[in-house]
Amino acid sequence: MVHMAMMGLLTSVLAPVLVLAGQRFVPWQRVPASALITLPVFLVLHGALTIVMARQEFPVVVDTALHAVLLAGAMWFWLPVLRPGPGLPEPARAVYLFLAAPSLDLAAVVLIILGDETGGLAMIVGMLPLGLVAIAVTWRWITREERLAQQQEVGA
C-alpha cells in the first residue's frame, strides 16, 4: 500500500517539483515534449510499470531502475504544462491535465480489479495532487480571461 502511494506521489508531486526546481539548470525547452505525444506515451509507461511493479517483486537494483524510468517519464509528462516559455496555452494545459488525471488512475483501477484494493486506492490517493494542479491551472486561466474581459470593457 505504501509503495503504491509513493508511486502516485512520485508522479504527481516529485516529478513536477523536480521540473520546476530544474528550470534554472536544465534547458527544458530543448526537450521535445509535445502534449499529443507525451500524454499517451506516459499513460502506457505509467500503466505498465505500475501494474508490473505491483504484481512482482524485483531485486533492489531493478526496482530502483524502474522507479527512475517512471520518474523520468513523469517529468517528461509534466513538461507541456510546466516548461518555461510560451508552451501550451492555458486552456490546453487544463484539458491536458483533466484528461491525464483519470487516465492515469486506470492502472490503479486494474490493480483493484486484480485484487489489490488497498494498493490501487493508495495510488489513486497519491495521484490526487494532479487533479489539484488541474483545478489550479483552470482557475488561473478563468481569472486571467475574466481580467482581460474587464480590461477590454474599460478600454472600450
Side-chain angles (χ1 to χ4, degrees):
M1 177 176 79
V2 172
H3 179 245
M4 288 292 105
M6 297 309 286
M7 284 182 65
L9 290 170
L10 181 142
T11 299
S12 67
V13 176
L14 182 59
V17 165
L18 290 175
V19 169
L20 291 171
Q23 286 183 350
R24 290 187 189 178
F25 314 107
V26 180
W28 293 124
Q29 62 277 10
R30 292 185 182 173
V31 178
S34 165
L36 294 175
I37 295 170
T38 58
L39 183 56
V41 170
F42 184 65
L43 288 175
V44 171
L45 175 72
H46 177 266
L49 288 178
T50 297
I51 293 166
V52 167
M53 291 172 70
R55 307 286 293 163
Q56 185 173 343
E57 290 289 324
F58 291 98
V60 173
V61 173
V62 174
D63 190 62
T64 302
L66 292 173
H67 279 90
V69 168
L70 180 63
L71 179 59
M75 291 171 68
W76 184 60
F77 159 78
W78 280 99
L79 284 179
V81 176
L82 301 176
R83 181 191 323 241
L88 285 176
E90 284 181 321
R93 291 175 194 210
V95 169
Y96 178 85
L97 291 172
F98 276 115
L99 286 174
S103 300
L104 289 170
D105 284 342
L106 289 175
V109 172
V110 169
L111 292 179
I112 292 169
I113 291 168
L114 293 175
D116 186 5
E117 294 89 2
T118 56
L121 291 173
M123 169 153 285
I124 290 171
V125 170
M127 295 293 286
L128 286 176
L130 176 60
L132 296 175
V133 173
I135 291 168
V137 166
T138 304
W139 185 256
R140 188 175 68 191
W141 165 41
I142 291 169
T143 57
R144 182 170 293 146
E145 290 288 322
E146 179 66 24
R147 195 172 344 112
L148 289 173
Q150 288 174 352
Q151 290 172 353
Q152 288 176 349
E153 287 176 9
V154 171

